[in-house]
């Protein structure tokens, strides 16, 4: 029951960066907000895997947590290179 409340609190906390990305026009702020959403979603997946006692879902959360942010880092580097040129 307590972990379900934690999950709902995490969903509510995930809406804050989505609102920030929707409100701001700066691409860096948008990327930062979306990266925060990615991290929060991965942590929520890990919590759901603990609730269900299914570690295969946890492996998916760990992969999203490690590889998903690497994609954002590559995109930021490409945008930085385009801005310098």
């Amino acid at each position: 029951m307590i972990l379900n409340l934690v999950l709902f609190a995490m969903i509510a906390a995930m809406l804050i960066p989505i609102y920030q990305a929707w409100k701001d026009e700066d691409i860096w702020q948008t990327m930062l907000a979306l990266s925060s959403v990615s991290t929060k979603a991965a942590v929520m997946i890990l919590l759901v895997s603990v609730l269900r006692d299914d570690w295969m879902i946890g492996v998916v959360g760990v992969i999203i947590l490690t590889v998903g942010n690497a994609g954002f880092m590559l995109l930021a580097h490409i945008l930085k290179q385009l801005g310098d040129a």
Side-chain angles (χ1 to χ4, degrees):
M1 182 67 185
I2 293 174
L3 287 178
N4 287 335
L5 294 175
V6 170
L7 182 62
F8 286 125
M10 292 172 81
I11 291 171
M14 196 168 75
L15 294 177
I16 296 169
I18 290 174
Y19 173 72
Q20 182 65 31
W22 172 64
K23 190 175 80 173
D24 201 359
E25 296 291 329
D26 187 22
I27 187 69
W28 294 106
Q29 292 293 328
T30 303
M31 285 181 58
L32 185 64
L34 292 178
S35 174
S36 177
V37 167
S38 169
T39 303
K40 285 181 176 74
V43 171
M44 285 176 34
I45 289 171
L46 289 174
L47 180 68
V48 168
S49 73
V50 170
L51 285 175
R52 294 178 52 126
D53 197 24
D54 187 3
W55 291 106
M56 294 302 289
I57 296 173
V59 169
V60 171
V62 168
I63 289 172
I64 290 173
L65 194 59
T66 56
V67 178
N69 287 335
F72 270 111
M73 295 295 285
L74 288 173
L75 183 60
H77 186 68
I78 289 171
L79 287 175
K80 183 179 177 185
Q81 292 294 324
L82 288 176
D84 290 342

